[in-house]
């Protein structure tokens, strides 16, 4: 029984010691382990005293902080009340300010009267002038005019501030200067971007009113996005360029000038128009064949014209000289008479006819080929027309009719080849007619002289 009681006391002591160790770890760590019940009891008493002191200290700290927390709560409540009162006061003041501002705005509107309409018109004019100045070539000579107008429009539009007298006068001045400069031919120096090298060079620029800019005999364009001046990537034809050189070289006298009243739209269309080389290239392979055939026909016609002219001159000289010469057809025909002095008129007629027949191919040589070219050229043009229309219908089949540019290539080929065929055929036909007439004229002279020789021999036979 004693043994069981001791075991219970030991277990209770151990439990208390463990509780004391958990509550007071520093104290438990310092004490050594109890070896009997007296030591265990002593340790428990000491731990209990230490625990009580610690609890009292905690209670004191809690009570001290409780008072501090209450004070903080009171301060927060007081601050909240102050802010609520301030909010109500500010709200009341805001309502009073709103009423006063509305009264002042109404008073301002009543006092401004017609000035309000004036400033509205001024703002509208400033906006319109800004767009006008941005696209005007006069800004190439007087840059950054639109910046002032933009600032004025923003000032009057966003901040509702009124324009000063100086600003109103400047708007009037810029508008007057635009009208005045549009009627002048002015010269000034500015950087111009070259179309060939892409570099800017300082050079003299001539401004013709508000319509065109020229320099070094070339037309210029004013790039509104960057405010710079650049040469046109492609210049118009020479008849327009000559007027640009004339207006730049003039010293007060009147000269002709190709003026673009649209400010560049017409000039842009003229620049886009294809030149002769590009038009020929639009004809494609068939176009080049037509030109080659036409060139061959032209060379043959030139050769025939020169030959017939030389032969015609020799025949005319032979007509004045009774002595036959072998360097011309008429002399060779007359030589037949000299070679057959005793032949009768019928025999002589046959021999003369034979001599004339030998000369006819020389006089009519290659004329038939020229006539063939005049007939073949329109047929080649028709071939190019059909080819171009085939390409056009193929483009329609693939891409539809939404974009006319896709069909423009085939239509251009069709029209250009037709034009080239006619351009070759008409002159070639005229050349054939002229040369054939001249050849027949020379043959007629030979026949006429042959008939005269036969008549003369017939008279001698009688």
């Amino acid at each position: 029984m004693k043994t069981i009681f001791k075991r219970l006391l030991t277990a209770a002591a151990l439990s208390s010691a463990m509780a004391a160790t958990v509550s007071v770890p520093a104290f438990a760590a310092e004490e050594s382990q109890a070896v009997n019940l007296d030591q265990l009891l002593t340790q428990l008493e000491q731990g209990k005293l230490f625990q009580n002191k610690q609890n009292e200290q905690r209670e004191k700290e809690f009570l001290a902080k409780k008072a501090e927390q209450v004070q903080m709560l009171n301060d927060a409540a007081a601050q909240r009340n102050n802010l609520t009162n301030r909010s109500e006061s500010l709200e009341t003041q805001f309502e009073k300010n709103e009423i006063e501002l509305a009264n002042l705005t109404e008073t301002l509107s009543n006092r401004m009267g017609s000035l309000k309409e004036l400033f509205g018109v001024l703002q509208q004019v400033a906006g319109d002038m800004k767009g006008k100045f941005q696209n005007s070539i006069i800004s190439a000579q007087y840059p950054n005019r639109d910046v002032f107008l933009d600032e004025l429009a923003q000032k009057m539009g966003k901040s509702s501030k009124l324009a000063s007298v100086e600003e109103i006068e400047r708007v009037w001045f810029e508008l007057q200067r635009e009208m005045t400069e549009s009627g002048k031919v002015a010269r000034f120096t500015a950087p111009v971007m070259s179309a060939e090298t892409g570099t800017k060079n300082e050079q003299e620029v001539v401004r013709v009113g508000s319509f065109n800019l020229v320099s070094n005999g070339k037309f210029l364009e004013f790039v509104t996005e960057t405010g710079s001046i650049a040469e046109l990537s492609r210049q118009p034809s020479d008849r327009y360029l000559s007027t640009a050189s004339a207006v730049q070289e003039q010293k007060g006298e009147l000269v002709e000038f190709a003026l673009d009243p649209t400010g560049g739209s017409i000039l842009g269309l003229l620049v886009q128009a294809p030149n002769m080389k590009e038009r020929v290239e639009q004809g494609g392979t068939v176009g080049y064949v037509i030109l080659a055939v036409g060139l061959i026909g032209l060379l043959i016609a030139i050769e025939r014209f020169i030959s017939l002219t030389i032969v015609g001159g020799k025949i005319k000289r032979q007509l004045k000289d009774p002595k036959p010469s072998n360097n011309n057809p008429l002399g060779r025909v007359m030589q037949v008479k000299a070679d057959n002095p005793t032949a009768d008129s019928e025999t002589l007629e046959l021999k003369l006819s034979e001599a004339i027949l030998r000369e006819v191919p020389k006089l009519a040589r290659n004329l038939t080929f020229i006539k063939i070219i005049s007939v073949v050229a329109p047929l080649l043009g028709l071939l190019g027309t059909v080819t171009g229309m085939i390409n056009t219908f193929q483009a329609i089949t693939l891409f539809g009719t939404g974009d006319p540019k896709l069909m423009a290539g085939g239509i251009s080929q069709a029209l250009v080849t037709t034009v080239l065929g006619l351009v070759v055929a008409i002159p070639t036909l005229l050349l054939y007619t002229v040369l054939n007439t001249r050849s027949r004229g020379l043959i007629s002279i030979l026949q006429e002289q042959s008939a005269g020789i036969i008549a003369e021999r017939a008279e001698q036979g009688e």
Side-chain angles (χ1 to χ4, degrees):
M1 192 70 181
K2 292 180 178 180
T3 304
I4 296 173
F5 180 72
K6 289 181 179 180
R7 291 179 179 178
L8 291 174
L9 288 176
T10 304
L14 290 174
S15 299
S16 300
M18 290 176 62
T21 303
V22 172
S23 302
V24 208
F27 176 77
E30 294 177 355
E31 294 294 335
S32 60
Q33 187 176 1
V35 296
N36 52 38
L37 292 176
D38 294 334
Q39 292 180 356
L40 178 61
L41 182 61
T42 302
Q43 292 178 358
L44 289 174
E45 290 177 353
Q46 292 176 352
K48 182 177 180 181
L49 292 174
F50 182 81
Q51 184 70 29
N52 292 334
K53 291 180 181 180
Q54 191 176 15
N55 291 336
E56 290 176 358
Q57 181 67 26
R58 289 178 178 178
E59 184 176 359
K60 290 179 181 179
E61 292 177 359
F62 177 77
L63 292 175
K65 289 184 179 180
K66 179 180 179 181
E68 184 180 352
Q69 294 295 329
V70 171
Q71 183 63 35
M72 291 176 63
L73 178 62
N74 294 334
D75 294 342
Q79 185 178 6
R80 181 199 61 189
N81 295 332
N82 292 333
L83 292 176
T84 301
N85 296 332
R86 177 177 173 81
S87 175
E88 293 176 354
S89 175
L90 291 176
E91 185 176 359
T92 304
Q93 185 65 33
F94 177 78
E95 294 176 354
K96 292 181 180 180
N97 291 340
E98 284 287 331
I99 297 173
E100 184 178 0
L101 180 61
N103 295 332
L104 293 176
T105 302
E106 184 178 359
T107 303
L108 178 62
S109 299
N110 294 332
R111 291 183 178 180
M112 286 184 64
S114 59
L115 288 178
K116 186 175 182 180
E117 182 178 357
L118 170 63
F119 288 119
V121 174
L122 179 63
Q123 183 179 1
Q124 181 181 359
V125 171
D128 296 340
M129 287 176 59
K130 174 189 173 184
K132 175 66 177 177
F133 288 170
Q134 284 179 343
N135 299 321
S136 176
I137 65 173
I138 300 177
S139 298
Q141 185 177 0
Y142 303 102
N144 299 326
R145 297 184 299 167
D146 58 315
V147 176
F148 159 72
L149 297 174
D150 190 19
E151 294 176 351
L152 179 62
Q154 292 181 358
K155 171 184 175 182
M156 299 179 64
K158 294 182 178 180
S159 59
S160 300
K161 292 184 179 180
L162 302 180
S164 63
V165 177
E166 292 78 9
E167 291 174 335
I168 297 175
E169 290 180 348
R170 184 174 177 184
V171 172
W172 172 84
F173 172 76
E174 293 294 346
L175 184 60
Q176 183 67 29
R177 181 165 67 173
E178 178 74 14
M179 293 187 294
T180 304
E181 294 295 331
S182 63
K184 293 182 179 180
V185 178
R187 298 174 182 269
F188 61 96
T189 302
V192 179
M193 180 176 293
S194 174
E196 297 178 357
T197 61
T199 58
K200 289 185 177 181
N201 300 316
E202 290 285 340
Q203 58 192 52
E204 184 186 54
V205 179
V206 178
R207 175 180 56 80
V208 182
S210 59
F211 307 107
N212 293 102
L213 294 172
V214 296
S215 179
N216 294 337
K218 296 181 179 180
F219 284 90
L220 309 178
E221 64 174 341
F222 178 64
V223 184
T224 58
E225 291 79 5
T226 59
S228 59
I229 306 174
E231 293 181 357
L232 291 175
S233 58
R234 180 173 174 178
Q235 296 292 324
S237 58
D238 293 338
R239 64 184 182 128
Y240 300 115
L241 287 178
S242 61
T243 63
S245 301
V247 75
Q248 190 170 8
E249 296 173 359
Q250 63 92 19
K251 303 298 181 181
E253 66 276 6
L254 297 178
V255 295
E256 293 184 354
F257 179 71
L259 184 69
D260 183 3
T262 62
S265 299
I266 297 178
L267 184 61
L269 294 176
L270 290 176
V271 168
Q272 293 178 2
N275 53 28
M276 185 62 65
K277 179 182 178 182
E278 292 172 343
R279 289 186 184 277
V280 172
E281 290 176 350
Q282 290 176 353
T285 305
V286 178
Y288 287 116
V289 172
I290 294 173
L291 291 178
V293 172
L295 180 60
I296 294 173
L298 179 62
L299 294 176
I300 294 175
I302 292 174
E303 186 273 332
R304 284 289 81 206
F305 182 81
I306 296 174
S307 297
L308 292 177
T309 301
I310 295 174
V311 172
K314 292 180 179 181
I315 290 177
K316 288 182 180 180
R317 289 192 294 270
Q318 184 64 59
L319 289 173
K320 298 177 182 179
D321 187 3
K323 183 179 179 181
S325 176
N326 291 327
N327 63 351
N328 64 90
L330 180 58
R332 289 190 287 271
V333 171
M334 293 174 61
Q335 187 65 35
V336 174
K337 174 186 174 183
D339 294 339
N340 300 278
T342 59
D344 55 9
S345 58
E346 293 181 0
T347 303
L348 184 60
E349 181 180 1
L350 295 174
K351 291 184 176 293
L352 289 173
S353 298
E354 181 184 3
I356 293 174
L357 290 176
R358 284 197 301 266
E359 299 297 334
V360 168
K362 298 178 182 178
L363 297 175
R365 184 179 59 189
N366 293 332
L367 293 181
T368 304
F369 189 73
I370 297 176
K371 184 177 181 180
I372 292 173
I373 291 176
S374 66
V375 175
V376 170
L379 296 178
L380 290 174
L382 180 61
L383 174 62
T385 302
V386 175
T387 305
M389 295 309 298
I390 291 174
N391 294 334
T392 301
F393 287 120
Q394 288 178 346
I396 293 175
T397 302
L398 294 175
F399 306 104
T401 58
D403 190 359
K405 293 182 179 180
L406 298 174
M407 301 179 289
I411 296 175
S412 298
Q413 181 180 354
L415 297 178
V416 169
T417 52
T418 302
V419 171
L420 290 177
L422 295 176
V423 166
V424 171
I426 293 173
T428 306
L429 183 60
L430 291 177
L431 289 173
Y432 167 76
T433 303
V434 172
L435 295 174
N436 188 51
T437 301
R438 177 165 293 192
S439 174
R440 288 182 178 276
L442 297 178
I443 294 173
S444 297
I445 293 175
L446 297 181
Q447 293 175 348
E448 179 184 354
Q449 294 299 318
S450 175
I453 293 173
I454 294 171
E456 182 181 357
R457 179 60 61 87
E459 290 177 357
Q460 294 177 357
E462 294 178 357

